[in-house]
Amino acid sequence: MTTDFQNGRDALGARLRELRVEAVRIPGLLQTPDYARHTLATAAEFRRVEHDVDDAVRARVRRQEALYDPDKTFRFLIWEPALHARTVPPGVHAAQLDRLMGVIGLDTVDLGVVPLGAELRRAPSHEFWIYDRRLVVVETIGTEMWLTDDDSLTTYERAWDWLAEAAVHGERARRLIGRVRASLGAV
């Protein structure tokens, strides 16, 4: 990740009122420092770029302070397979799942999980972030697109709404995450 990328995201976050995220992996705003460290190091290796992982982890954790700002709202929809993906050591994975269960109930955070087997009005596609109603950031494996036109905003809002119908929240989400956590055994 480049400094320009990080600065751009920080500037967006400063003005943010509502963020909606459809995630195919654990979003950075919800990651523990150890989970972020593994994720960022792997991303740098995959992309074959030099990257100061420790600086990136500190920046990621610093951005998480926004989760506690009463003037902001964060709405996450995470596909259940993201909870199962074992991309980090078991202890790090377990702590990450504990962190997800811990954000359920925060006044500023709505965490929904789309369970395996849920009836869907649309198929899974790719990760995207809707910043207020002014920008959609679409993340793919090789690029990131920043979309501001009304047609794109409308399309991604509809995609969000359709997926939200299938998500579980609150205690149901906590139980689902807890089952995944229990599948790791004692770590």
Side-chain angles (χ1 to χ4, degrees):
M1 281 182 209
T2 66
T3 302
D4 289 342
F5 170 82
Q6 294 299 334
N7 290 340
R9 283 283 175 105
D10 287 347
L12 285 171
R15 298 188 340 237
L16 178 74
R17 292 292 160 242
E18 180 186 51
L19 177 66
R20 290 175 279 172
V21 179
E22 176 182 336
V24 297
R25 59 183 178 238
I26 307 299
L29 281 171
L30 300 177
Q31 291 177 1
T32 65
D34 285 342
Y35 191 94
R37 184 170 288 103
H38 283 277
T39 300
L40 291 165
T42 300
E45 178 185 1
F46 178 77
R47 292 186 177 157
R48 297 181 177 155
V49 296
E50 291 294 318
H51 187 55
D52 187 330
V53 171
D54 290 333
D55 280 350
V57 169
R58 281 189 289 277
R60 183 163 284 183
V61 170
R62 189 173 46 254
R63 280 191 295 283
Q64 291 177 4
E65 293 173 9
L67 295 173
Y68 304 96
D69 183 336
D71 295 326
K72 299 180 187 299
T73 302
F74 298 88
R75 300 174 61 203
F76 299 94
L77 296 174
I78 300 175
W79 291 94
E80 183 181 348
L83 306 176
H84 293 273
R86 299 205 177 170
T87 59
V88 298
V92 173
H93 192 161
Q96 179 59 59
L97 295 173
D98 292 343
R99 163 77 170 145
L100 291 177
M101 286 189 285
V103 300
I104 295 173
L106 287 178
D107 291 342
T108 58
V109 176
D110 177 31
L111 175 60
V113 177
V114 181
L116 293 169
E119 283 193 37
L120 304 171
R121 289 180 68 187
R122 70 173 184 84
S125 53
H126 50 261
E127 188 157 303
F128 63 87
W129 302 60
I130 304 173
Y131 289 80
D132 298 316
R133 192 174 194 293
R134 58 190 157 90
L135 171 69
V136 175
V137 176
V138 178
E139 295 183 358
T140 69
I141 196 166
T143 194
E144 183 176 274
M145 296 174 287
W146 290 37
L147 309 172
T148 58
D149 63 282
D150 195 54
D151 287 344
S152 292
L153 291 166
T154 299
T155 298
Y156 279 93
E157 286 179 324
R158 184 172 46 254
W160 168 270
D161 292 340
W162 283 22
L163 183 61
E165 295 171 358
V168 296
H169 299 264
E171 192 54 40
R172 289 179 64 198
R174 185 178 280 118
R175 282 194 306 270
L176 193 155
I177 296 166
R179 283 193 300 271
V180 178
R181 170 69 171 85
S183 74
L184 298 174
V187 288

